[in-house]
Amino acid sequence: MKNICWVKVRKIALLLVADWLALLLSLFIARILLTSRIQFGLELLPAVLVTSAVSLVVFAVLGYYKMSLQNAGFEEMLRLCFGILLAAPICMILNRALLGFGVREVIVAFLILFNLTCLTRYGYRFSRAWRYRFKGRSKRTPVMVIGAGDAGTMIVREIKTSDKIDLLPVCIIDDDPKKLHTNICGVPVVGDRTVIEQMVEKHAIEQIFIAIPSARTADISAICEICARTRCRVRILPGMYQMLSGTGVTNYMRDISINDLLGREPITINTREVFAYIEGKHILVTGGGGSIGSELCRQIAAHNPASLTIFDIYENNAYDIEMELRRAYPYLTLRVLIGSVRDERRVSDVFATVSPHIVFHAAAHKHVPLMENSPAEAIKNNVFGTYNVAKAANDFGVERFVMISTDKAVNPTNVMGATKRICEMIVQNFAAQSKNTDYVAVRFGNVLGSNGSVIPLFKRQISEGGPVTVTHKDIIRYFMTIPEAVSLVLQAGAYATGGEIFVLDMGEPVKIVTLAENLIRLSGYTPYQDIDITFTGLRPGEKLFEELLLDEEGMRKTPNKKIFIGNPVPVDHDTLMQALADMKTAAAQNDVAAILAKIKDLVPTYRADKRTAAGARTTKE
């Protein structure tokens, strides 16, 4: 600390001495130029002292001695100019009274002084730029910068003035035709995004910096997709760059991720609405250790609940999120309870212990092919687990019950999706019957990075050298990030009035094969050459595309333009209860044929996979 203070004092002292000497030199040169008199007389001493004192005081007040010499820019130059303009008239008036220097001499002296002070402030940057120019170009990595705006300029300037960055900005890409053939810090703007691949090959570019933080997500996605084809290392400047001080901006560059390629605007929620119904409430999250459940816990913890209870059957995941939350929110009242939603008695005990105001039900079996092989387990866990939790919510007077659903519940071709559709029917049935609890479901597509999603699988396959396996070349899916999915769930809880199924506008679906190709490119390989992609065929229960709404549900808007409501589909209570009773018996006996028949009765749009149906006949025989 003492060393730092000494360095600052020494710097200020050197600048003060430099400014004083510059002022004396300026006055001396001005007198020579205007009077041809080389010598100063003692009669000028009062004028010299007054001029020096006034100038140095003005400079100090304006912060001349707090400037960063390494990063002095246009604003610092304006401050220097303002200081000269302020000090000059004061010194002219005082010199007129002291009969020292004439007005013209003071004016010329301060013009010379401005140049000398600029030299002392900018000399360091000039020397760095000079060293950069003559440092071996062959030793630097050629870089392309995309974006000729403020962010791109900051990056080019920092690269060219830093001794520690061994990069060479070769060309700049920008879609604005007015910037074509201009230069940014000596680097030419060579064209728009259509010439990226051409310029990479022409200039042997090894790295690409994307510096357009204000661009639309769709534009970033399109540019990232082009860059991913070049085999260059691609880095991107996040939108937070506007908050930076302007120093070390290259430190904030990050590698592009698969999220950048999705091309969908991020979901935003009204945090005040979420605060309003979560703050001060007792919250229960079933399946709280899973990928969706754990993110629910993180975001709920940030909204100041009275307490948060994590209920999960898998203790390892539950322990991990517990430790994370205890570190991040030491004053949070947090419980972790282990048990299964299948166990009606255990569920009732948990509700009696917690007395929750709000329940988020995320516990479920979600893996499609596995549930095709074990449909009875899907029924027990998804259908009757949901029924147990929903019933306890009604029995204990919970204010809101929010269930996590899936787009696979729409016109399902697999047992998992069908069970989720039945869960939605259970929720809507309780919504019609309950007088105290608002029941809703939230339906969304695939979640990037969740347990069982394709991205972790693809990354593992790439790290092993391939091949990357895709079930079908035409298969498409909707994608969103885990935080976005959870934001939707929380917002849905705020909008809940009972019986709604909330649906996210997830933008355009993505081809899985395109996702795999881009992920291979982002990893520095060429698809089908370095890493092969093989097509394995659709798995049991899998379909080429997913839907978000049943035909009869329609669509209603909410205050959030990205969230819609599917109109409730009437559910006959007696029919549902009888079908659930029959299904429970079939699941207990592991009678797959009876299970599929009961699913078809409850969900007429269900189309069983032929392989699952064949397995059911084999089981029955």
Side-chain angles (χ1 to χ4, degrees):
M1 192 69 179
K2 291 181 179 179
N3 291 336
I4 295 174
C5 292
W6 168 243
V7 169
K8 288 183 177 180
V9 169
R10 187 174 61 179
K11 171 194 162 186
I12 293 172
L14 288 173
L15 285 175
L16 278 168
V17 171
D19 286 345
W20 183 66
L21 292 175
L23 183 59
L24 292 181
L25 183 60
S26 300
L27 292 170
F28 181 71
I29 294 174
R31 169 143 290 212
I32 292 175
L33 291 175
L34 296 178
T35 67
S36 299
R37 292 167 57 186
I38 298 178
Q39 294 182 342
F40 278 3
L42 290 176
E43 72 278 2
L44 294 178
L45 185 59
V48 170
L49 294 176
V50 169
T51 302
S52 301
V54 169
S55 300
L56 295 179
V57 168
V58 170
F59 292 172
V61 170
L62 293 178
Y64 274 30
Y65 306 110
K66 295 180 181 179
M67 290 183 184
S68 171
L69 300 184
Q70 292 91 336
N71 301 287
F74 183 69
E75 184 177 339
E76 284 75 17
M77 182 173 286
L78 286 178
R79 194 183 300 175
L80 287 173
C81 185
F82 179 71
I84 297 295
L85 291 175
L86 182 61
I90 299 174
C91 290
M92 280 190 288
I93 295 171
L94 293 173
N95 272 284
R96 189 175 180 85
L98 293 167
L99 300 176
F101 295 97
V103 172
R104 287 192 305 163
E105 288 178 86
V106 172
I107 293 174
V108 173
F110 274 86
L111 288 174
I112 297 170
L113 178 63
F114 175 72
N115 289 280
L116 292 176
T117 51
C118 282
L119 182 62
T120 59
R121 267 62 178 185
Y122 291 90
Y124 182 79
R125 291 195 62 179
F126 291 155
S127 66
R128 284 199 306 178
W130 190 259
R131 289 197 302 271
Y132 175 88
R133 180 174 292 275
F134 286 96
K135 190 175 181 179
R137 291 170 64 94
S138 61
K139 297 179 181 179
R140 291 180 175 266
T141 303
V143 172
M144 170 190 288
V145 177
I146 300 179
D150 293 338
T153 301
M154 288 171 65
I155 289 173
V156 172
R157 182 181 292 120
E158 180 172 328
I159 291 174
K160 297 192 73 171
T161 57
S162 174
D163 295 326
K164 299 179 181 179
I165 302 177
D166 289 324
L167 301 174
L168 178 69
V170 175
C171 61
I172 299 175
I173 299 294
D174 199 284
D175 287 341
D176 187 351
K178 291 182 290 186
K179 295 180 180 178
L180 183 62
H181 303 311
T182 60
N183 284 277
I184 306 293
C185 301
V187 181
V189 180
V190 297
D192 59 17
R193 69 181 73 174
T194 60
V195 302
I196 290 176
E197 293 178 90
Q198 176 188 340
M199 290 297 122
V200 165
E201 186 174 353
K202 178 180 178 180
H203 298 290
I205 301 296
E206 295 183 25
Q207 292 192 33
I208 298 175
F209 285 178
I210 301 175
I212 40 178
S214 60
R216 296 183 306 115
T217 305
D219 290 330
I220 292 291
S221 172
I223 291 170
C224 287
E225 193 163 339
I226 296 171
C227 293
R229 297 198 294 264
T230 64
R231 298 192 68 176
C232 295
R233 183 187 180 189
V234 185
R235 307 188 73 198
I236 188 168
L237 185 67
M240 61 176 273
Y241 101 96
Q242 293 97 333
M243 300 167 59
L244 304 179
S245 62
T247 62
V249 67
T250 52
N251 295 329
Y252 292 90
M253 302 293 291
R254 62 168 174 81
D255 292 337
I256 63 171
S257 67
I258 204 70
N259 295 1
D260 297 313
L261 297 168
L262 290 183
R264 184 172 51 76
E265 296 296 328
I267 303 302
T268 57
I269 66 170
N270 187 329
T271 54
R272 285 180 297 179
E273 290 180 341
V274 175
F275 261 116
Y277 85 94
I278 286 183
E279 186 174 17
K281 298 296 178 67
H282 298 288
I283 313 294
L284 170 65
V285 180
T286 70
S291 50
I292 297 294
S294 60
E295 181 63 23
L296 266 170
C297 292
R298 292 184 190 97
Q299 295 195 24
I300 290 168
H303 286 81
N304 197 27
S307 70
L308 172 61
T309 301
I310 299 170
F311 183 51
D312 202 294
I313 194 171
Y314 186 46
E315 70 273 18
N316 290 347
N317 284 348
Y319 176 78
D320 289 343
I321 186 62
E322 178 190 16
M323 292 299 100
E324 178 185 333
L325 293 179
R326 290 200 186 281
R327 286 192 301 269
Y329 304 96
Y331 300 107
L332 173 68
T333 301
L334 179 65
R335 297 186 189 91
V336 176
L337 301 176
I338 301 301
S340 173
V341 293
R342 299 183 184 193
D343 187 340
E344 185 177 2
R345 175 66 63 86
R346 177 58 175 155
V347 170
S348 294
D349 289 343
V350 168
F351 273 74
T353 301
V354 175
S355 299
H357 296 106
I358 303 169
V359 174
F360 292 94
H361 178 49
H365 286 323
K366 306 179 182 72
H367 202 284
V368 170
L370 293 183
M371 292 305 100
E372 290 300 291
N373 295 329
S374 305
E377 299 308 302
I379 295 297
K380 294 173 186 176
N381 198 67
N382 293 2
V383 174
F384 292 103
T386 296
Y387 183 86
N388 291 339
V389 179
K391 181 176 182 298
N394 183 61
D395 293 344
F396 287 86
V398 169
E399 295 176 8
R400 286 183 176 91
F401 176 94
V402 182
M403 188 201 80
I404 310 301
S405 189
T406 171
D407 56 359
K408 294 175 177 61
V410 181
N411 300 322
T413 59
N414 52 71
V415 171
M416 193 282 286
T419 60
K420 279 296 191 178
R421 176 60 194 141
I422 295 171
C423 291
E424 292 178 352
M425 297 168 69
I426 290 171
V427 166
Q428 291 180 320
N429 179 68
F430 272 103
Q433 302 294 322
S434 179
K435 297 180 180 179
N436 302 314
T437 306
D438 293 328
Y439 289 86
V440 297
V442 184
R443 186 188 291 165
F444 47 78
N446 293 270
V447 180
L448 285 172
S450 64
N451 297 329
S453 71
V454 295
I455 302 302
L457 172 63
F458 287 169
K459 287 182 176 179
R460 185 169 64 253
Q461 290 174 334
I462 292 169
S463 69
E464 294 170 354
V468 172
T469 56
V470 177
T471 56
H472 195 284
K473 63 183 179 64
D474 295 323
I475 193 168
I476 61 175
R477 290 291 183 267
Y478 293 98
F479 281 98
M480 64 190 309
T481 66
I482 294 176
E484 286 176 329
V486 170
S487 296
L488 171 65
V489 173
L490 294 177
Q491 188 78 77
Y495 294 154
T497 58
E500 301 97 338
I501 296 177
F502 290 90
V503 180
L504 170 65
D505 176 7
M506 299 183 68
E508 296 299 318
V510 178
K511 290 188 71 172
I512 299 299
V513 66
T514 302
L515 204 62
E517 291 169 350
N518 286 331
L519 198 57
I520 291 171
R521 292 188 185 103
L522 289 177
S523 301
Y525 303 106
T526 301
Y528 309 106
Q529 294 181 17
D530 303 324
I531 302 288
D532 197 16
I533 298 177
T534 59
F535 299 98
T536 58
L538 292 176
R539 298 174 297 177
E542 193 172 40
K543 55 184 178 179
L544 286 177
F545 61 93
E546 304 290 358
E547 305 152 272
L548 291 171
L549 274 179
L550 296 171
D551 291 337
E552 62 268 29
E553 284 178 330
M555 188 81 83
R556 287 189 289 127
K557 294 182 178 180
T558 69
N560 188 317
K561 65 180 182 179
K562 292 289 186 178
I563 303 174
F564 297 87
I565 300 175
N567 294 318
V569 178
V571 178
D572 182 76
H573 175 74
D574 294 335
T575 302
L576 177 63
M577 290 298 103
Q578 183 58 53
L580 289 178
D582 296 340
M583 193 174 290
K584 192 170 189 177
T585 300
Q589 297 172 353
N590 197 29
D591 188 341
V592 177
I595 289 172
L596 298 184
K598 290 303 174 183
I599 289 176
K600 183 66 176 176
D601 289 343
L602 273 179
V603 187
T605 58
Y606 169 58
R607 301 184 303 280
D609 187 281
K610 293 180 180 179
R611 287 165 288 187
T612 306
R617 288 193 294 273
T618 302
T619 301
K620 188 175 180 180
E621 292 168 2

